[in-house]
Amino acid sequence: MQLRDGDLVLRPKRFADAEAITAACQDPEIQRWTSVPSPYSLEDARAYLRNRAEEEAAGRSVNLLAVVAHDDRVLGSFSLMELDRKPGCGEIGYWVTAEARGRGIATRAVRLLAGWARDELGLTRIEILPHKDNPASRRVAEKAGFTDTGELVAAPRSDTDEPVYAVYAWTAS
């Protein structure tokens, strides 16, 4: 599977991407707003790719990298997760590299993935859970057509039950 919007491509993650993912995850902003380990090692990237492959094989997620079409340069990571929790529902999680921020890449990628999930998987509700104190990620959700529900929840894949993630929802029409 490959999704495209002009020069932006969402393509499956590959084990050959481990070094690019490792380099991107050195970014303090990615470490601040996501659950990636800090420091982030090449072995962390390899484990992440193995885990995502297992999740995908089990039908629990779809994992893509955003890249530049002409040179395959990694711009971000986008996943459609929690597909096994509730029929017709999923969650989009993402990070983007420093070079990709402020250029609309995250918004374009989220729209591509949400549209594909609606058309190909029949999803009727998709959520994004940005940290309540991450205004950039909240703007991405809004620009991509997601609505702030006003709820705060704990992260579904976290050891903490502190409700610090805002729920943004998109419903198929």
Side-chain angles (χ1 to χ4, degrees):
M1 169 185 63
Q2 190 175 91
L3 307 175
R4 180 182 287 267
D5 178 5
D7 65 341
L8 176 67
V9 175
L10 289 179
R11 63 149 173 87
K13 294 174 181 166
R14 305 183 288 240
F15 285 99
D17 296 317
E19 288 184 15
I21 291 170
T22 302
C25 288
Q26 302 311 306
D27 182 341
E29 288 300 298
I30 291 174
Q31 294 176 5
R32 178 180 182 193
W33 300 118
T34 70
S35 60
V36 302
S38 177
Y40 195 88
S41 69
L42 183 58
E43 185 48 44
D44 290 323
R46 290 177 177 145
Y48 167 75
L49 290 166
R50 281 191 301 275
N51 291 340
R52 295 296 75 80
E54 290 170 9
E55 290 274 315
E56 207 157 327
R60 293 188 296 264
S61 68
V62 174
N63 301 285
L64 304 168
L65 278 180
V67 299
V68 177
H70 70 279
D71 66 5
D72 208 39
R73 186 173 66 255
V74 172
L75 300 174
S77 173
F78 293 81
S79 296
L80 181 61
M81 307 169 291
E82 307 296 338
L83 295 174
D84 59 333
R85 285 203 172 195
K86 185 176 173 188
C89 298
E91 175 195 339
I92 292 178
Y94 56 89
W95 54 254
V96 293
T97 62
E99 87 171 274
R101 292 186 198 123
R103 297 175 37 204
I105 289 168
T107 301
R108 289 167 58 199
V110 166
R111 284 181 186 148
L112 274 173
L113 188 51
W116 177 85
R118 177 196 61 223
D119 297 344
E120 298 299 321
L121 301 180
L123 296 192
T124 57
R125 181 181 170 94
I126 301 172
E127 295 179 345
I128 294 176
L129 305 177
H131 192 282
K132 66 182 178 69
D133 296 328
N134 185 343
S137 194
R138 293 179 78 140
R139 277 193 306 275
V140 166
E142 291 166 359
K143 287 179 180 179
F146 287 68
T147 303
D148 185 351
T149 67
E151 296 173 79
L152 289 178
V153 298
R157 293 158 303 281
S158 174
D159 294 336
T160 179
D161 57 357
E162 186 179 0
V164 295
Y165 292 90
V167 178
Y168 283 77
W170 171 89
T171 306
S173 49

